Amino acid sequence: MTYATDESTKRSLEQFSRYDADTQLGLLWFGYLDLKDKLTPANETSTQDTAAAVFDQFVALSPEEQLQAQRDIVNRADTDLSRAYSALASSGKLDLWLRLAQGMEDGRIIGVPSDYEPPAETNEFVEQIKQLEFEQRLNFMRSAVVEMGAK
């Protein structure tokens, strides 16, 4: 299920899916930084609780395992955490990525290195995303993370 409804968002989603896992993770991080001041999670309590439970599994891992678990979700690997992620509702998946990004900011989750620069081939993609309206960017993010996880 995707939420990308207009052609610009769909094109961006197709391009995003062609990047490797680490590039996708970096782009999700920068997307979070771009949207975080406007995000207001309004999920049902049960969705928040379920996302929190999966997030707690991440926090219990070593930094290297946290990174690998994120890569596994992006790569749709068949692991316990990736299956737990797949079981989340679409709003729970977005909630989990929001929690992971907040965990990166407060040090509970391994962060993107401070000197990280997205690969040069993503420059055009980033410019496309910047041209999208807030709702389109949010729909892009939701669509991207909904497709992730064990299949």
Side-chain angles (χ1 to χ4, degrees):
M1 167 192 287
T2 61
Y3 294 87
T5 55
D6 63 82
E7 287 307 310
S8 296
T9 309
K10 287 179 184 177
R11 266 193 316 277
S12 297
L13 190 60
E14 288 169 8
Q15 189 172 354
F16 177 79
S17 69
R18 291 192 291 266
Y19 296 125
D20 64 59
D22 287 341
T23 301
Q24 288 184 30
L25 289 171
L27 291 169
L28 284 173
W29 168 249
F30 288 117
Y32 163 75
L33 292 176
D34 180 47
L35 298 174
K36 75 177 186 173
D37 293 333
K38 298 175 188 158
L39 293 175
T40 53
N43 297 331
E44 299 173 9
T45 303
S46 62
T47 301
Q48 289 178 350
D49 291 346
T50 308
V54 176
F55 175 74
D56 289 343
Q57 292 178 50
F58 271 92
V59 173
L61 300 173
S62 71
E64 294 77 21
E65 291 169 325
Q66 291 173 353
L67 178 58
Q68 186 58 52
Q70 291 176 62
R71 287 173 173 153
D72 288 345
I73 289 171
V74 170
N75 287 325
R76 296 167 178 81
D78 188 18
T79 64
D80 290 342
L81 258 174
S82 191
R83 284 190 299 277
Y85 176 84
S86 292
L88 294 171
S90 61
S91 57
K93 291 176 180 179
L94 194 57
D95 189 299
L96 177 63
W97 285 105
L98 175 60
R99 289 172 188 271
L100 289 170
Q102 291 169 338
M104 289 176 190
E105 285 187 311
D106 68 23
R108 292 181 292 160
I109 300 295
I110 188 171
V112 174
S114 60
D115 61 347
Y116 176 78
E117 289 289 327
E121 66 265 16
T122 65
N123 291 343
E124 183 179 320
F125 169 80
V126 170
E127 289 306 312
Q128 286 175 355
I129 295 298
K130 286 180 179 179
Q131 299 304 311
L132 299 175
E133 299 293 325
F134 173 75
E135 258 329 291
Q136 290 174 304
R137 285 184 280 161
L138 189 57
N139 283 338
F140 164 79
M141 294 284 283
R142 182 185 304 269
S143 295
V145 302
V146 163
E147 297 301 319
M148 296 175 180
K151 297 293 176 199

